[in-house]
Structures are given as C-alpha cells and as structure tokens.
C-alpha cells in the first residue's frame, strides 16, 4: 500500500472512530481532550460531533481542551486560548491530571509518526497518562496501541481495519 493510500485510510479510520465514540459516550460527564492538535482537523470534527456546536452533535455540551507543543492549527480550527495548552504533552497532560483529577470523558491522541521504535516510546508514557486523565468509563482513542491494566480494549467500529486505530475504556 502506498503511503498516500495509508494516509487516506488513517483519515477514514479517524472519522469512523470519532463518530463511533461520540455515539457511545452518552451522558458521561467531563471534558474531551485532544492530545496533539496539529492542523486541527480532528479537533474540528470533535467539536461538531461531541460538543453540541452543531445539530449533528449528541450528548451534553462539552468543553474540548487541546494540547500540542506549538499552535500550528488552521485559524478556523483553533481553540479559545483557555482551551489550548502548549508544551510537551508528557508534562502538560500530567499537570492537567494533577490539577483536575481523572475527569475526562474522552481523550484522543494522534501523536504517532508511524515509526515502530518511536511508537513504543510514545506508548510507554501515553498509557499511564490516559489512565490518569480519564474518568472511569471514559474512552481513550489512539493511533498508538497501548498496553495497561485499567485500559480495556474495545471493539473498533465496522470498516476500521484491526491495528489502524485503538479504543480503550478506563476501568
Ligand atoms: C499528526 S499531528 C495531529 C493532527 C490532528 N489530528 C489533525 O487532525 O490535524 C500530531 C501533533 O502532535 C504534536 N505532538 C506530537 N508529540 C507531541 C508531544 N510529545 N508533546 C506535544 N505535542 C506533540 C505535534 O506537534 C503535532 O502537531
């Protein structure tokens, strides 16, 4: 598969996973966290389907807090300053968890670079961070496979190939 095909499939998987999560979150309270704002495309989609900013969103109104080491988002997809936390997510995410406790209903992390060795390093800090951020029943959506007791794998929605994206529920 070419890298272009792989990229397109990753985007399709992201949308399917985000829509599936929005539909299954229900009334679980708490903010949504975007770990890795990037261009803001997935943040913008999460605003549409999870934050009741459009008629298609479901569930309660939610704050979405985005994290990145720098703000490179398209201005149309840029969070309010109070909802954008800049710095290394290992540090800023841990500070958010320390300050707020495990409150998030959902956290989405699109941080991997597709290099297996880097993904192992990423997973080693992302799994405990997800656990610290999420409330019981909260969902972790990631492009990186995580292994941690307390983060239970959940089935992917139909049409998302295994290994393309990962969903965990915090126990
Ligand atoms: C693939 S992009 C995210 C794209 C985003 N999902 C979108 O739809 O536009 C990953 C982002 O995560 C950020 N990032 C990766 N590792 C990070 C880290 N350890 N701390 C802070 N930001 C990080 C990068 O700066 C980059 O903007």
């Amino acid at each position: 598969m070419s890298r272009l095909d792989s990229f397109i499939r990753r985007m399709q998987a992201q949308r399917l996973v985000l829509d599936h999560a929005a539909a299954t979150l229900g009334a679980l309270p708490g903010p949504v966290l975007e770990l890795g704002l990037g261009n803001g495309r997935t943040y913008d989609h999460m605003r549409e389907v999870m934050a009741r900013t459009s008629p298609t969103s479901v569930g309660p109104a939610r704050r979405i807090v985005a994290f990145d080491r720098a703000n490179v988002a398209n201005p149309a997809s840029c969070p309010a300053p109070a909802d954008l936390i800049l710095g290394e997510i290992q540090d800023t995410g841990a500070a958010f968890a320390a300050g707020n406790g495990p409150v998030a209903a959902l956290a989405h992390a699109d941080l991997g670079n597709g290099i297996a060795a880097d993904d192992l390093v990423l997973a080693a800090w992302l799994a405990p961070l997800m656990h610290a951020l999420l409330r019981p029943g909260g969902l972790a959506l990631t492009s990186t496979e995580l292994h941690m007791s307390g983060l239970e794998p959940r089935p992917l929605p139909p049409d998302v190939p295994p290994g393309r994206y990962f969903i965990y529920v915090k126990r």
Side-chain angles (χ1 to χ4, degrees):
M1 185 191 307
S2 72
R3 290 185 55 222
L4 177 62
D5 285 333
S6 179
F7 177 78
I8 290 167
R9 289 186 188 200
R10 185 163 72 87
M11 297 298 103
Q12 290 171 329
Q14 274 184 337
R15 186 178 54 192
L16 286 164
V17 166
L18 292 174
D19 289 351
H20 172 78
T24 55
L25 260 187
L28 190 71
V32 163
L33 307 181
E34 171 73 314
L35 305 181
L37 176 65
N39 180 279
R41 292 186 187 96
T42 48
Y43 169 79
D44 191 48
H45 194 72
M46 290 160 75
R47 277 199 303 204
E48 282 206 9
V49 299
M50 296 177 193
R52 206 189 282 164
T53 56
S54 85
T56 56
S57 66
V58 293
R62 294 182 192 279
R63 181 182 179 206
I64 302 183
V65 182
F67 297 73
D68 208 302
R69 57 172 57 105
N71 180 7
V72 293
N74 182 307
S77 309
C78 197
D83 294 334
L84 176 59
I85 300 178
L86 298 179
E88 292 300 303
I89 290 168
Q90 299 93 309
D91 304 327
T92 56
F96 187 92
N100 296 280
V103 294
L106 180 147
H108 171 240
D110 180 18
L111 298 171
N113 62 10
I115 298 172
D118 291 350
D119 277 355
L120 287 176
V121 174
L122 169 59
W125 61 261
L126 184 58
L129 178 61
M130 284 289 198
H131 194 271
L133 290 168
L134 290 167
R135 70 174 55 243
L139 296 176
L141 317 178
T142 100
S143 54
T144 308
E145 187 170 15
L146 304 179
H147 298 280
M148 184 168 178
S149 70
L151 292 178
E152 183 179 299
R154 303 291 294 174
L156 292 166
D159 300 330
V160 177
R164 175 67 60 179
Y165 237 79
F166 303 88
I167 303 176
Y168 302 91
V169 63
K170 157 92 174 269
R171 289 300 177 202

